[in-house]
Amino acid sequence: MIQVTTHLEVADNSGARVVKCVKVLGGSRRKYAGLGDIIVVSIKEAMPGTKVKKGETARAVVVRTAREYQRSDGSYIKFDGNSAVLINKDKEPIGTRIFGPVARELRAKKFMKIISLAPEVL
């Protein structure tokens, strides 16, 4: 469960390390984002000389949440922390590598490029 002002780790090699959620997309009254949802983020920490810079805004898809997520079969999944992958307007990842496991819910949301780059899908 991600809301405005939540800090997330970045799970790709785009150059950003920490981002802050500034908007949850998907409706004017929407408060929370879960696995596979798109959010607008502000980059808080970035490595020098990379594709993104500190202070820029970008879109990201949530790939891991510390809050448990109930699946349709009744099981739950949760991770150690909150993580996102930066994407462009065409919903393609900015980075070329994904670090750590990602949730299976991304497959239903049509993020197949992220699924294929991830080392493990839970």
Side-chain angles (χ1 to χ4, degrees), residues 22 54 60 75 81 94 110:
V22 294
K54 179 181 174 182
S75 64
I94 293 175
K110 305 285 192 274

Side-chain angles (χ1 to χ4, degrees), residues 15-64:
R17 289 288 163 238
V18 176
V19 294
K20 180 174 111 175
C21 176
V22 294
K23 185 70 177 171
V24 177
L25 298 180
S28 61
R29 290 189 173 92
R30 187 149 185 217
K31 288 184 179 181
Y32 307 114
L35 294 172
D37 290 337
I38 299 174
I39 58 175
V40 179
V41 297
S42 171
I43 297 166
K44 292 298 179 186
E45 287 181 28
M47 294 179 62
T50 54
K51 299 175 187 174
V52 295
K53 304 285 182 261
K54 179 181 174 182
E56 290 182 358
T57 59
R59 289 181 182 219
V61 59
V62 178
V63 295
R64 295 191 286 268

Side-chain angles (χ1 to χ4, degrees), residues 39-92:
I39 58 175
V40 179
V41 297
S42 171
I43 297 166
K44 292 298 179 186
E45 287 181 28
M47 294 179 62
T50 54
K51 299 175 187 174
V52 295
K53 304 285 182 261
K54 179 181 174 182
E56 290 182 358
T57 59
R59 289 181 182 219
V61 59
V62 178
V63 295
R64 295 191 286 268
T65 58
R67 176 79 178 186
E68 65 272 358
Y69 181 84
Q70 185 175 8
R71 292 184 164 159
S72 57
D73 63 355
S75 64
Y76 288 91
I77 184 167
K78 71 177 181 177
F79 297 92
D80 289 338
N82 299 318
S83 296
V85 172
L86 298 181
I87 58 174
N88 59 18
K89 294 285 185 183
D90 301 324
K91 296 185 178 180
E92 296 291 319

